[in-house]
Amino acid sequence: MSTDRQMLLDFGFEEARIDWALKATRGAGLQPAMDHILANQDKPIPADGGSSSNASKAAGGEGDDDEDEDMKLAISMSQGGSSEQEAKSIKCSECGKVFRNTAMAEFHAEKSGHDQFEESVEEIKPLTEEEKKQKLAELREKMAEKRAKKSVIDAEEQKANEALRRKAGKDAGRIKEDLQLKEALKEAEQKKREKVEEAKAREAVKAQIEADKKARAEKAAKEKALREGRAVPSEASTSTAPAPAAPAVKKEYNEARLQIRLAAGGAPLTVTLPATDTLRNVAEYVASQSLAYDVDTVTFATTFPRKVFTKAEWGQTLKELNLVPSAVLMASQ
């Protein structure tokens, strides 16, 4: 038994699985142990080490004692209760296989489902070293074939997993591109709306200027007529042009889009701030973007109309400083 165990260990089988096979076959030999290992290689090893009695109980709920009695009864009945010659083996009446002892016959019965056995005078010779080597070679060939099949299956699974991973990466990249495109479209739409609103604001300012010019002309004509003693002309006579439309209501803006040009050099800064932010908030933003500027010493000015903001105006909001909806500031240090 120890030689069989060592040969199985040399082949590379798990020690616990070898012990289970040797216990289950009751030391019947190398071939039954190898058959047991191959038949149960995908099954978990029992916690008790795999005794044949527990295996039998798990399979059918009966102990070995009952099975031994059934086996002995079947053998006895097949031989008429006695044999003239000494029995040296046990033969399966259904398939003709011959076994060295009852343990091997029980293992065959459990594996094949056969239940008809008889005693036999045929003596089973132990395997020679050459036969053992041949059995081991066959076993190695079977194991190599199984490993090759498993290797092919593993390669196919790995290939499928890699395809799934690549697909997931492409999907993530496509989602990212879609988000970037949506953000770009959203920003372009926002700029377009701001331009339209700025154009409307300029038109409203022009209309107000024209209305103021007309009012001043009418007032001057009335004053001149009074000085010359003439009748004061009516509004219809002093105006050849149709009355201008009522000026559009000035839209309330909640944000200020600022372009800040840096005297220290570099690309201009563009930022959109709430209309309620102060000029000091703008200074803090510039200082955070450029190390050349300090919050307490930076100054701001507009180019048109030309205006330099004082420290006293830093507490005023961008709306109060007429920097809404957009403006260009020069930042100096």
Side-chain angles (χ1 to χ4, degrees), residues 179-234:
L179 289 176
Q180 291 176 345
L181 178 59
K182 288 181 180 178
E183 288 295 328
L185 292 174
K186 183 178 178 181
E187 185 176 354
E189 186 65 24
Q190 178 66 21
K191 290 181 179 179
K192 183 179 179 181
R193 285 196 300 267
E194 290 176 356
K195 289 182 178 179
V196 171
E197 291 171 355
E198 290 176 2
K200 290 181 179 179
R202 285 194 296 268
E203 291 298 326
V205 171
K206 289 180 180 179
Q208 185 63 47
I209 292 173
E210 292 296 327
D212 292 343
K213 285 182 179 180
K214 181 182 177 182
R216 286 195 297 270
E218 292 176 352
K219 183 179 179 181
K222 289 179 181 180
E223 292 176 351
K224 183 178 180 182
L226 290 173
R227 286 195 302 269
E228 296 176 352
R230 293 183 291 104
V232 177
S234 62

Side-chain angles (χ1 to χ4, degrees), residues 182-316:
K182 288 181 180 178
E183 288 295 328
L185 292 174
K186 183 178 178 181
E187 185 176 354
E189 186 65 24
Q190 178 66 21
K191 290 181 179 179
K192 183 179 179 181
R193 285 196 300 267
E194 290 176 356
K195 289 182 178 179
V196 171
E197 291 171 355
E198 290 176 2
K200 290 181 179 179
R202 285 194 296 268
E203 291 298 326
V205 171
K206 289 180 180 179
Q208 185 63 47
I209 292 173
E210 292 296 327
D212 292 343
K213 285 182 179 180
K214 181 182 177 182
R216 286 195 297 270
E218 292 176 352
K219 183 179 179 181
K222 289 179 181 180
E223 292 176 351
K224 183 178 180 182
L226 290 173
R227 286 195 302 269
E228 296 176 352
R230 293 183 291 104
V232 177
S234 62
E235 293 183 2
S237 62
T238 58
S239 176
T240 58
V249 178
K250 187 176 181 181
K251 182 176 179 179
E252 290 293 331
Y253 292 94
N254 297 322
E255 294 180 336
R257 183 177 179 84
L258 303 178
Q259 184 186 78
I260 305 170
R261 298 176 183 175
L262 308 177
L269 303 176
T270 302
V271 63
T272 301
L273 298 174
T276 55
D277 275 7
T278 63
L279 201 57
R280 182 172 183 83
N281 295 131
V282 179
E284 292 173 351
Y285 169 76
V286 173
S288 69
Q289 300 297 313
S290 176
L291 298 176
Y293 292 88
D294 184 81
V295 175
D296 296 324
T297 58
V298 64
T299 60
F300 296 104
T302 57
T303 56
F304 183 79
R306 177 65 179 175
K307 176 178 174 58
V308 178
F309 295 99
T310 65
K311 291 294 183 180
E313 295 174 303
W314 276 38
Q316 297 183 26

Side-chain angles (χ1 to χ4, degrees), residues 129-188:
E129 291 298 324
E130 186 65 28
E131 290 173 335
K132 289 182 180 180
K133 291 180 180 179
Q134 182 179 355
K135 291 289 184 181
L136 285 175
E138 294 175 356
L139 185 59
R140 289 191 180 98
E141 184 178 353
K142 291 180 180 179
M143 295 298 293
E145 182 180 355
K146 182 178 180 181
R147 290 194 186 99
K149 291 180 179 179
K150 188 176 185 302
S151 177
V152 172
I153 294 174
D154 291 342
E156 292 177 351
E157 290 180 352
Q158 184 177 1
K159 184 178 179 180
N161 292 335
E162 179 65 17
L164 290 175
R165 186 189 66 79
R166 291 180 179 178
K167 184 177 183 300
K170 290 180 180 179
D171 292 342
R174 189 178 300 109
I175 291 173
K176 184 177 180 181
E177 291 177 357
D178 292 342
L179 289 176
Q180 291 176 345
L181 178 59
K182 288 181 180 178
E183 288 295 328
L185 292 174
K186 183 178 178 181
E187 185 176 354

